[in-house]
């Protein structure tokens, strides 16, 4: 978790389009210092620039005491050089109780507003300064700062830190901005049975009364968000078989679910790959990975102490191939950041996209080249890249590179454009420059800027210098202009031969007219019997609206043309009519799984654009999906089937066609589950789909029978994860006795993952009283529930088929949105917007959402974007409904 009609354009997008080429500005100290910092929780880019123009050579001595209770204490000793002492200086510290403040040896009364300390000019000196802050603070429970969690199984307390984008000051006093890199030296006192993990290894552990005191070596220079410290009674596994010592940590109660051998295998392979690819050895000496609960995101690249969300990597059965591939990819993604993000760091948050784009690109490359998952790029095409295409076609799309006025906006644009479009753009640049030139440019960049901060121009300049090419025009087209182009093949045939062939590129709209230079492959196929044979494949660099491809002339007139063969480009493909018919009629005859995936995507694009009836797509899926023997592609196709089912649920799940096709989907998934005996990966994939589509009385009865053991699937174990999936489905459809199953299963599974599954099952029940209770809890910003549980409630409160229940509160939710946006904060709203802005599939729901968008000019950029996206989603559903030929 987007051409821009001015009325619908969010403020942040409008700003981005108007000032897309604005670089990071270092304000002149005299001028910048004349204005006081805004009295709020966020740091502006201008204030950060003013501070970094004055401050340098920063070092932190950090001392913490953690007892496991709800608060912790700390002392920050902050030493730095100051260019001048002509004006006050601020130090960031969030919601702490300050016990004492010493500036250059003098005890002073803190000027503190709950967000930052202001140090008066008279207490500062030109040159070296030392500030000592002693304080107490509550642990966080929302996943930022120093998060605390009590394990429901054994009552043990676990803590971990998370600082991105700017939350280090929720743990200690700090200049919380990426371009003030510093060293960190830590001491921490914790209960005797705790482990402590940080950027460096401990140098000493000694008794300290009832606690133990851990001392750590000084780090190399890091931005605050790259430093971390995690503490608790974690279980540890070690592996020293590689070049760098590796450790893995997890909570004691979930340790049995961890497969450390898999983790170490991919970690060791990745470190060897990146050492070789970058030509710079890994810099942080040891490699720790920590599985943590309640995590906001998938993982975080803290230098040498990477955190991973338990929910994404804990399985109560053997991992499937898909789960292992995901583990390998996320390990590689975070590992790439150790060079690109940690070693070299962006100057300000407008450069965060480059960190994430590069890690997404390199994570996929490393997965494909250093693990058994050689189809990693195909998985990237079907997953992240398609989400980027979908987002880039929205009104609310944005350039890859956008200004970030303050830390409040740092994550406004952390989305599929940032990750997957950016990664696709880098892949396209690699094809354009050549793999060796691209690699050389990356190496030179890392060498030049290591332990420093850099800007986009520095990265592009290194690549351009390696290529001997000015990349200014490319940068403007790809990074500063939003939207996705469409490419189509126009050709003529005579006497069975191609006599003219042109690639036609079109812009997204008049508002987004940019046409881009891009290198792709154009492939033509002939249908021979039951197989498409490659007739000709030509690499082409095209730009502008028309690019002739004379190398295609003379080829046999094709039955199928694909103008982005092997997926080199980031471009939407519009199939010519003959190729589109081939895709619909003869998918099974396409041997290449990537091309087959692309043709499936063309059909799905046709549905989303209102050019192919949803029922026709489902007929194609029902005919072809059971025959699909490629595991990765089957997952993609079944994902599209579930997307189609969601549209039917939004339209009217009780409609005759919806009920009939649902039974067909249930039968397909069940029959394929039974037919996949002996292949655990396929069987689990098909059974998971069966659970996800089951809604008829017969299918629900079968799920209940599988749960209590009255029915079995030969070869399939109904493990704890599947038990919760079934219980969730039964409750979502109010199967008799389903509510009682939740309490019984919680008695069996006391883990926090079980608690989350139970909560999801409860809130999804089609009961108005349940909806009211949990919506009130979500809206209660003072609730004692950890944010992870509030987010779970948001995500499961109104399933698509329960839109009737959702309508009962839809108006009230929209009316509450402006006030909630002002008070809840960006972490809350990033979850709330996509989950609880009311979906719909009628012209009336479109009008209601549009009215809210028209009235919501003052909403934050992220919330306004979610609202405008909801307008477009509702309109798309209406368009799909109108295009259907079966009802």
């Amino acid at each position: 978790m987007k051409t821009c009609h001015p009325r619908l354009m969010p403020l942040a997008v409008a700003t981005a389009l108007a000032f897309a080429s604005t670089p990071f500005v270092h304000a002149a100290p005299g001028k910048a210092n004349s204005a006081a910092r805004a009295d709020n929780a966020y740091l502006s880019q201008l204030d950060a620039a003013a501070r970094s123009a004055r401050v340098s050579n920063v070092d932190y001595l950090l001392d913490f005491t953690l007892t496991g209770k709800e608060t912790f204490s700390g002392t920050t000793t902050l030493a730095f050089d100051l260019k001048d002492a002509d004006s006050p200086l601020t130090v960031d510290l969030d919601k702490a109780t300050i016990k004492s403040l010493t500036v250059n040896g003098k005890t002073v009364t803190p000027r503190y507003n709950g967000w930052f300390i202001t140090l008066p000019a008279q207490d500062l000196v030109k040159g070296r300064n030392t500030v000592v802050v002693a304080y107490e603070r509550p642990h966080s429970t929302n996943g930022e700062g120093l998060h605390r969690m009590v394990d429901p199984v054994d009552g043990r307390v676990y803590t971990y830190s998370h600082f991105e984008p700017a939350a280090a000051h929720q743990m200690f006093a700090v200049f919380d901005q990426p371009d003030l890199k510093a060293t960190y030296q830590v001491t921490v006192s914790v209960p005797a049975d705790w482990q402590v993990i940080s950027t460096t290894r401990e140098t000493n552990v000694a008794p300290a009364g009832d606690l133990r005191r851990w001392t750590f070596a000084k780090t190399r220079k890091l931005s605050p968000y790259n430093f971390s410290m995690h503490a608790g009674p974690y279980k540890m596994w070690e592996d020293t078989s590689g070049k760098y010592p590796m450790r893995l940590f997890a909570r004691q109660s979930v340790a049995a679910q961890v497969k450390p051998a898999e983790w170490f295998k991919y970690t060791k392979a990745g470190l060897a790959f990146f050492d070789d690819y970058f030509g710079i050895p890994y810099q942080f000496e040891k490699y720790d990975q920590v599985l943590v609960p309640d995590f906001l995101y998938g993982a975080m690249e803290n230098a040498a102490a990477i955190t991973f969300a338990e929910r994404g990597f804990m399985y109560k059965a053997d991992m499937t191939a898909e789960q292992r591939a995901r583990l390998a990819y996320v390990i590689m993604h975070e590992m790439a950041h150790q060079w690109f993000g940690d070693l070299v760091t962006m100057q300000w948050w407008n450069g965060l996209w480059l960190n994430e784009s590069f890690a997404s690109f390199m994570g996929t490359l490393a997965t494909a080249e250093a693990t058994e998952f050689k189809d990693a790029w195909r998985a990237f095409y079907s997953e992240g890249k398609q989400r980027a295409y979908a987002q880039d076609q929205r009104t609310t799309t944005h350039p890859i590179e956008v200004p970030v006025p303050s830390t409040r906006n740092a994550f406004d644009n952390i989305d599929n454009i940032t990750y997957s479009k950016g990664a696709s753009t880098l892949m396209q640049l690699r094809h354009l420059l050549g793999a060796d030139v691209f690699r050389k440019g990356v190496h030179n960049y890392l060498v030049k800027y290591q332990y420093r901060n850099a800007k986009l121009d520095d990265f592009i300049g290194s690549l351009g210098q390696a290529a001997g090419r000015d990349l200014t025009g490319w940068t403007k087209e790809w990074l500063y202009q939003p939207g996705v182009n469409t490419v189509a093949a126009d050709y003529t045939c005579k006497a069975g031969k191609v006599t003219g062939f042109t690639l036609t590129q079109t812009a997204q709209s008049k508002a987004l007219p940019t046409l881009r230079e891009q290198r792709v492959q154009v492939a033509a196929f002939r249908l021979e019997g039951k197989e498409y044979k490659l007739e000709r494949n030509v690499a082409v660099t095209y730009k502008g609206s028309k690019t002739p491809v004379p190398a295609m002339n003379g080829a046999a007139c094709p039955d199928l043309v694909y103008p982005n063969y092997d997926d080199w480009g980031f471009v939407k493909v519009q199939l010519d009519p003959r190729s589109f018919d081939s895709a619909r009629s003869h998918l099974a005859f396409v041997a290449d799984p990537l091309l087959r995936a692309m043709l499936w995507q063309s059909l799905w694009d046709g549905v989303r654009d209102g050019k192919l009836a949803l029922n026709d797509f489902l007929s194609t899926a029902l005919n072809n999906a059971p025959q699909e023997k490629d595991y990765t592609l089957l997952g993609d196709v079944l994902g599209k089937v579930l997307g189609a089912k969601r549209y039917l649920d939004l339209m009217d799940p009780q409609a005759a066609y919806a009920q009939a096709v649902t039974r067909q989907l249930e039968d397909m998934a069940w029959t394929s589950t039974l037919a996949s005996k002996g292949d655990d990966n396929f069987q689990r994939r098909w059974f998971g789909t069966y659970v996800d589509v089951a809604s008829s009385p017969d299918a629900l009865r079968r799920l209940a029978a599988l749960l209590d053991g009255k029915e079995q699937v030969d070869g399939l174990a109904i493990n704890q994860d599947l038990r919760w999936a079934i219980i969730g489905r039964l409750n979502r459809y109010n199967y008799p006795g389903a509510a009682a199953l939740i309490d019984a299963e919680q008695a069996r599974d006391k883990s926090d993952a079980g608690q989350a599954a139970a909560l999801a099952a409860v809130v999804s029940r089609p009961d108005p009283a349940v909806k009211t209770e949990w919506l009130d809890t979500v809206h209660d910003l003072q609730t004692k529930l950890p944010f992870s549980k509030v987010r779970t409630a948001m995500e499961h409160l109104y399933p698509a088929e329960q839109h009737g229940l959702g309508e009962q509160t839809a108006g009230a939710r929209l009316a509450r949105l402006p006030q909630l946006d002002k008070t809840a904060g960006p972490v809350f709203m990033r979850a709330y917007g996509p989950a609880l802005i009311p979906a719909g599939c009628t012209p009336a729901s479109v009008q209601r959402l549009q009215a809210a968008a028209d009235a919501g000019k003052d909403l934050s950029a992220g919330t306004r974007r979610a609202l405008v996206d909801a307008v477009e989603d509702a309109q798309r559903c209406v368009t799909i409904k109108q295009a259907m030929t079966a009802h």
Side-chain angles (χ1 to χ4, degrees):
M1 353 110 156
K2 308 168 135 264
T3 54
C4 286
H5 190 292
R7 187 177 61 178
L8 297 180
M9 188 186 302
L11 178 60
V13 177
T15 304
L17 293 176
F19 300 102
S21 60
T22 303
F24 183 94
V25 178
H26 274 297
K31 183 177 180 180
N33 294 344
S34 63
R37 177 174 168 182
D39 192 25
N40 62 46
Y42 305 101
L43 176 67
S44 74
Q45 179 182 358
L46 289 175
D47 286 334
R51 187 161 64 180
S52 63
R54 301 176 67 198
V55 172
S56 59
N57 298 324
V58 184
D59 298 290
Y60 296 97
L61 289 174
L62 305 175
D63 190 299
F64 303 103
T65 299
L66 313 181
T67 63
K69 296 181 180 179
E70 294 182 354
T71 61
F72 67 95
S73 61
T75 300
T76 298
T77 302
L78 168 57
F80 56 94
D81 290 345
L82 190 61
K83 185 177 181 180
D84 65 79
D86 300 335
S87 58
L89 182 71
T90 63
V91 177
D92 307 308
L93 181 63
D94 180 78
K95 296 185 180 66
T97 300
I98 297 177
K99 300 298 184 182
S100 66
L101 174 64
T102 304
V103 183
N104 294 321
K106 174 186 173 184
T107 300
V108 300
T109 301
R111 289 174 51 187
Y112 180 54
N113 60 4
W115 302 307
F116 54 84
I117 303 164
T118 300
L119 306 176
Q122 62 265 28
D123 295 329
L124 301 168
V125 296
K126 182 178 179 180
R128 198 68 175 166
N129 288 257
T130 302
V131 177
V132 182
V133 187
Y135 61 93
E136 290 184 357
R137 191 191 190 281
H139 281 281
S140 302
T141 59
N142 70 343
E144 292 189 317
L146 187 58
H147 180 92
R148 173 182 179 271
M149 181 264 195
V150 180
D151 192 319
V153 174
D154 56 21
R156 296 182 181 188
V157 173
Y158 292 86
T159 69
Y160 61 87
S161 69
H162 179 81
F163 297 153
E164 191 181 34
H169 67 295
Q170 295 184 33
M171 183 172 166
F172 59 95
V174 58
F175 298 129
D176 205 353
Q177 60 189 81
D179 65 337
L180 282 176
K181 287 196 168 188
T183 65
Y184 303 80
Q185 192 161 9
V186 181
T187 54
V188 55
S189 299
V190 297
D193 63 337
W194 282 25
Q195 295 278 352
V196 185
I197 309 107
S198 191
T199 302
T200 56
R201 285 294 298 267
E202 66 275 11
T203 57
N204 188 52
V205 181
D210 293 335
L211 304 175
R212 286 202 303 168
R213 187 166 182 79
W214 294 59
T215 303
F216 290 83
K218 180 187 288 189
T219 71
R220 300 190 184 194
K221 282 188 173 291
L222 291 169
S223 295
Y225 84 95
N226 295 137
F227 168 73
S228 67
M229 190 200 77
H230 324 292
Y234 289 98
K235 179 175 176 58
M236 179 180 69
W237 299 267
E238 293 185 86
D239 188 309
T240 58
S241 64
K243 184 178 178 182
Y244 309 101
M246 300 175 289
R247 298 188 300 176
L248 179 65
F249 298 85
R251 288 184 295 129
Q252 299 286 343
S253 68
V254 298
Q257 299 176 45
V258 180
K259 308 293 188 292
E262 300 277 359
W263 285 80
F264 290 137
K265 176 178 72 171
Y266 297 129
T267 302
K268 181 178 175 180
L271 287 166
F273 174 84
F274 285 123
D275 267 7
D276 177 65
Y277 185 91
F278 292 135
I280 299 173
Y282 174 67
Q283 294 289 296
F284 301 113
E285 299 173 1
K286 54 91 176 177
Y287 205 86
D288 291 340
Q289 297 172 107
V290 190
L291 284 153
V292 298
D294 297 343
F295 204 57
L296 283 172
Y297 310 107
M300 177 60 202
E301 66 269 18
N302 314 304
I306 299 89
T307 42
F308 293 78
E310 283 181 353
R311 68 183 183 279
F313 306 97
M314 291 286 189
Y315 307 104
K316 295 169 183 174
D318 290 338
M319 286 190 286
T320 64
E322 179 186 28
Q323 290 163 347
R324 286 197 304 275
R326 182 173 184 271
L327 172 63
Y329 166 74
V330 179
I331 287 174
M332 300 301 178
H333 178 108
E334 304 307 328
M335 192 178 290
H337 276 306
Q338 304 299 304
W339 284 263
F340 211 102
D342 295 5
L343 181 62
V344 180
T345 313
M346 77 269 154
Q347 192 171 51
W348 181 245
W349 299 108
N350 61 315
L352 186 56
W353 76 267
L354 186 55
N355 285 3
E356 297 301 346
S357 296
F358 192 83
S360 297
F361 167 79
M362 287 304 307
T364 307
L365 183 68
T367 304
E369 298 193 8
T371 77
E372 67 268 34
F373 304 108
K374 304 306 178 187
D375 64 351
W377 283 111
R378 190 147 54 81
F380 173 79
Y381 168 82
S382 296
E383 296 166 9
K385 196 167 187 178
Q386 294 313 317
R387 291 192 293 269
Y389 280 140
Q391 186 171 347
D392 213 16
Q393 294 173 71
R394 290 183 179 276
T395 302
T396 55
T397 191
H398 58 85
I400 293 174
E401 169 83 5
V402 294
V404 177
S406 83
T407 54
R408 180 180 178 89
N409 309 106
F411 271 9
D412 284 353
N413 298 301
I414 295 301
D415 51 26
N416 294 308
I417 300 294
T418 300
Y419 283 77
S420 297
K421 181 181 179 180
S424 302
T425 299
L426 293 174
M427 172 59 97
Q428 171 56 209
L429 187 57
R430 182 174 184 249
H431 283 300
L432 200 64
L433 302 181
D436 292 341
V437 169
F438 181 87
R439 181 176 178 179
K440 179 182 178 182
V442 169
H443 168 80
N444 293 346
Y445 171 79
L446 293 172
V447 168
K448 183 174 182 179
Y449 296 102
Q450 58 186 318
Y451 298 108
R452 295 165 58 194
N453 296 86
K455 304 184 294 295
L456 171 64
D457 289 348
D458 300 322
F459 176 68
I460 295 297
S462 294
L463 294 178
Q465 188 173 21
R469 173 177 169 171
D470 182 359
L471 292 173
T472 304
W474 183 92
T475 303
K476 182 179 179 181
E477 289 177 1
W478 281 101
L479 304 182
Y480 289 129
Q481 300 297 329
V484 60
N485 299 117
T486 297
V487 67
D490 296 325
Y491 57 93
T492 56
C493 294
K494 189 173 181 180
K497 299 289 184 181
V498 174
T499 56
F501 197 107
T502 301
L503 286 181
T504 300
Q505 180 182 196
T506 53
Q508 189 161 319
S509 69
K510 291 181 180 179
L512 297 175
T514 301
L515 298 177
R516 297 169 173 86
E517 178 185 7
Q518 190 156 197
R519 187 161 180 80
V520 298
Q521 294 182 102
V522 181
F525 299 84
R526 291 281 297 164
L527 181 59
E528 296 182 7
K530 292 189 175 183
E531 185 177 355
Y532 281 99
K533 296 286 189 180
L534 180 63
E535 170 70 17
R536 193 163 295 187
N537 182 27
V538 178
V540 181
T541 299
Y542 71 82
K543 53 186 174 181
S545 60
K546 301 283 185 182
T547 302
V549 188
M552 294 297 290
N553 292 337
C557 193
D559 295 300
L560 173 65
V561 174
Y562 201 84
N564 185 25
Y565 187 55
D566 277 347
D567 192 35
W568 284 12
F570 184 82
V571 63
K572 186 176 178 180
V573 170
Q574 180 178 313
L575 293 177
D576 63 272
R578 184 168 182 172
S579 297
F580 191 80
D581 287 343
S582 293
R584 289 181 61 185
S585 305
H586 304 297
L587 265 175
F589 297 172
V590 177
D592 178 358
L594 176 56
L595 179 59
R596 206 156 64 246
M598 290 174 154
L599 296 176
W600 272 109
Q601 188 59 45
S602 291
L603 297 180
W604 185 239
D605 286 344
V607 172
R608 287 172 48 81
D609 294 342
K611 297 177 180 178
L612 176 67
L614 181 64
N615 50 286
D616 287 344
F617 175 86
L618 284 167
S619 294
T620 301
L622 286 163
N623 289 331
N624 287 273
Q627 318 309 318
E628 184 54 65
K629 301 306 179 188
D630 184 274
Y631 176 71
T632 299
L633 179 51
L634 178 62
D636 178 26
V637 173
L638 294 179
K640 289 175 169 57
V641 167
L642 294 176
K645 174 71 164 62
R646 182 177 183 278
Y647 279 126
L648 292 176
D649 287 341
L650 282 170
M651 294 171 192
D652 181 3
Q654 302 306 315
Y657 171 75
Q659 293 198 331
V661 80
T662 294
R663 286 191 292 273
Q664 289 179 286
L665 294 173
E666 291 170 346
D667 289 345
M668 175 183 73
W670 180 251
T671 301
S672 298
T673 297
L674 299 179
S676 299
K677 177 189 173 184
D679 189 323
D680 186 59
N681 286 316
F682 273 80
Q683 188 170 53
R684 288 167 68 177
R685 173 153 277 170
W686 275 113
F687 184 72
T689 301
Y690 181 72
V691 175
D692 287 340
V693 298
S695 54
S696 70
D698 287 344
L700 295 173
R701 275 194 294 272
R702 176 175 283 152
L703 288 181
L706 287 166
L707 188 70
D708 65 17
K710 293 178 180 176
E711 189 168 340
Q712 295 181 336
V713 177
D714 198 2
L716 180 71
I718 305 298
N719 58 52
Q720 185 64 70
D721 293 330
L722 284 177
R723 290 184 65 83
W724 277 120
I726 291 170
I727 290 169
R729 196 70 182 177
L730 294 175
N731 275 275
R732 181 167 161 173
Y733 284 88
N734 201 26
Y735 186 78
L741 294 173
I742 299 174
D743 291 338
E745 201 66 25
Q746 277 189 289
R748 176 200 299 262
D749 178 14
K750 298 181 183 298
S751 69
D752 61 306
Q755 285 192 346
L759 175 57
V762 168
V763 301
S764 70
R765 290 184 57 76
D767 181 337
V770 168
K771 305 303 183 189
T772 298
E773 176 189 353
W774 279 100
L775 187 61
D776 287 345
T777 300
V778 166
H779 286 152
D780 178 9
L781 301 183
Q782 306 305 314
T783 180
K784 297 298 184 182
L785 279 181
F787 181 67
S788 59
K789 289 185 169 54
V790 174
R791 184 171 59 178
T792 296
M794 291 181 190
E795 292 169 349
H796 294 87
L797 197 53
Y798 294 111
E801 75 282 354
Q802 293 179 17
H803 59 81
L805 280 169
E807 278 297 303
Q808 295 177 11
T809 62
R813 279 180 276 152
L814 284 174
R816 182 190 287 263
L817 194 62
Q819 184 58 40
L820 195 64
D821 185 51
K822 288 179 181 177
T823 56
V827 171
F828 182 96
M829 294 308 297
R830 279 197 296 271
Y832 186 92
L836 289 178
I837 290 177
C841 196
T842 64
S845 64
V846 175
Q847 292 170 7
R848 180 178 62 199
L849 287 164
Q850 184 63 66
D854 291 342
K857 305 297 186 184
D858 295 330
L859 293 171
S860 67
T863 301
R864 180 158 171 75
R865 180 175 297 162
L867 180 54
V868 175
D869 286 350
V871 176
E872 296 183 6
D873 288 341
Q875 182 58 63
R876 185 182 299 279
C877 188
V878 170
T879 299
I880 292 171
K881 185 176 183 179
Q882 291 170 342
M884 286 184 64
T885 56
H887 301 281

